[in-house]
Amino acid sequence: YKDSQVALGVILMKLGRYEQAIPYFTKALELDPNCVVSMNNLAISLIIAGRYMQATHLLEDAPKSAAIYNNLGLALKGLHKYEEARQMFEIAIDNEPNCASAYNNLGTVLTLLERHSDCLLYTSDAADDLLCVDLGGRRIIKK
């Protein structure tokens, strides 16, 4: 039953219907409070829906992984807590050095902190790991 809740939530996410996905991931977590996949997908849906505080509370209690730290950083960035977000992205990178999205997100938050030279370093690392990276509306395509 939990798996069908997760599957429905994922389908709704893929359709861009994040608000509608939230109850399915919430139900899946009620059925299995330790389901990291449900926590992470719920957090992503909350972040995209602009519900940053809820995502932060959820992720602060989640078992830690690079994906959880990265998403916690995104939630904190949404709350304009850029320095705390920076720390979460750095922890995500420490946990998973090949996590290109954490490098990209770190570069974005460093720009918001006006640390532009550091931003270039991290977004370059992200571009090395991806074929295509979105850098604040600009696309860098790896050849």
Side-chain angles (χ1 to χ4, degrees):
Y1 186 61
K2 171 201 67 148
D3 291 340
S4 30
Q5 297 294 314
V6 172
L8 287 168
V10 168
I11 290 167
L12 288 166
M13 285 178 74
K14 289 181 185 265
L15 293 171
R17 295 161 60 183
Y18 296 95
E19 279 283 352
Q20 291 175 324
I22 291 169
Y24 291 98
F25 294 126
T26 302
K27 181 65 176 175
L29 274 176
E30 289 171 8
L31 296 169
D32 181 0
N34 298 314
C35 181
V36 177
V37 171
S38 297
M39 280 183 214
N40 211 27
N41 284 327
L42 176 56
I44 291 166
S45 296
L46 290 167
I47 290 165
I48 291 172
R51 294 161 63 177
Y52 306 115
M53 188 60 72
Q54 283 179 273
T56 301
H57 291 306
L58 173 70
L59 293 170
E60 285 174 340
D61 296 331
K64 300 305 185 247
S65 67
I68 295 293
Y69 283 117
N70 188 50
N71 289 329
L72 181 54
L74 288 172
L76 291 165
K77 178 179 156 265
L79 293 170
H80 304 282
K81 296 182 176 184
Y82 302 131
E83 189 57 38
E84 291 176 56
R86 179 194 61 78
Q87 293 171 1
M88 293 303 108
F89 297 135
E90 288 179 351
I91 293 170
I93 291 165
D94 287 343
N95 278 273
E96 190 178 318
N98 294 325
C99 185
S101 61
Y103 282 99
N104 188 44
N105 293 329
L106 178 57
T108 301
V109 83
L110 287 169
T111 298
L112 294 168
L113 290 167
E114 297 188 8
R115 292 176 49 187
H116 303 293
S117 58
D118 291 336
C119 169
L120 287 173
L121 171 69
Y122 287 105
T123 51
S124 294
D125 288 345
D128 287 343
D129 288 342
L130 294 175
L131 292 176
C132 188
V133 178
D134 182 359
L135 299 175
R138 290 189 358 246
R139 305 285 293 172
I140 294 177
I141 299 172
K142 187 175 176 183
K143 295 184 180 189

